[in-house]
Amino acid sequence: RQLGAGGVFAWVGRAAARGCRVVRGRAWIFAIIVLAGVQLMFCVAPVMVLSPVISAEHWGGARAYGLILGAFGLGGLIGAFIALKWRPRHPGLVGNLGWLLYALIPLSYIDPLPLGWVIAVQGVACVGLEPFLACWQAAIQTDVPSVLHAEVFSLDFLFSFLLLPMGPARAPFDL
């Protein structure tokens, strides 16, 4: 069945409304989405902007930045393998504590730590991030009916990343 432009907008609106009802009915989902938006705005976005600048000013430039990104990727890979095998008793608590480790990254840039420390912080932070992501995905799949997964994950993505552009906009004030 083909929908005209008006039909597509109506369909998207109905799907968004269904997703909002699910999220509104589960305070823990709403809280995580809000926390993700705040984390993206105050931690992830400034790090995205400031990492290459601080790498150039304090550690010699592109090589340092590449090592930092490599540590992040390696930490993510290790964290993903941990998440694949580990079944914590309290996945929400474990996931959020792991996610909290990401806040160490911008803290390592305040009065930039030596490059080796920053590389280690990047790796550790991402080891913690992946179990959070696995716990989050599993929790939604467990608690939300499967016919509503698309709506909930779409709202999660939309609202989590909605604040991301505000981070780079304020990053110059962090320098």
Side-chain angles (χ1 to χ4, degrees):
R1 153 178 158 213
Q2 297 225 348
L3 297 175
V8 169
F9 287 118
W11 178 80
V12 168
R14 286 191 303 274
R18 282 192 304 272
C20 286
R21 281 192 296 274
V22 171
V23 170
R24 197 173 50 234
R26 291 167 176 81
W28 67 272
I29 294 177
F30 179 76
I32 294 293
I33 291 173
V34 169
L35 287 172
V38 170
Q39 179 92 338
L40 285 164
M41 183 172 79
F42 287 106
C43 293
V44 176
V47 165
M48 290 169 61
V49 173
L50 297 175
S51 287
V53 173
I54 292 172
S55 294
E57 290 180 2
H58 294 276
W59 305 307
R63 180 181 177 277
Y65 185 51
L67 290 170
I68 290 168
L69 292 178
F72 189 81
L74 181 60
L77 189 60
I78 293 167
F81 281 118
I82 290 170
L84 199 60
K85 296 289 183 185
W86 187 30
R87 300 289 178 257
R89 184 190 303 225
H90 303 287
L93 177 63
V94 169
N96 282 300
L97 289 175
W99 186 26
L100 188 60
L101 291 173
Y102 195 94
L104 296 174
I105 296 174
L107 293 176
S108 73
Y109 289 168
I110 290 174
D111 185 19
L113 295 174
L115 180 59
W117 281 100
V118 172
I119 289 170
V121 166
Q122 290 274 340
V124 167
C126 207
V127 166
L129 182 63
E130 292 303 321
F132 160 75
L133 293 172
C135 290
W136 170 242
Q137 299 285 322
I140 288 178
Q141 291 175 21
T142 301
D143 193 46
V144 174
S146 61
V147 297
L148 296 170
H149 286 174
E151 286 86 343
V152 172
F153 284 122
S154 294
L155 285 174
D156 169 35
F157 191 83
L158 174 66
F159 290 111
S160 293
F161 284 91
L162 191 65
L163 297 175
L164 185 63
M166 292 182 199
R170 58 172 274 284
F173 302 106
D174 294 341
L175 289 175

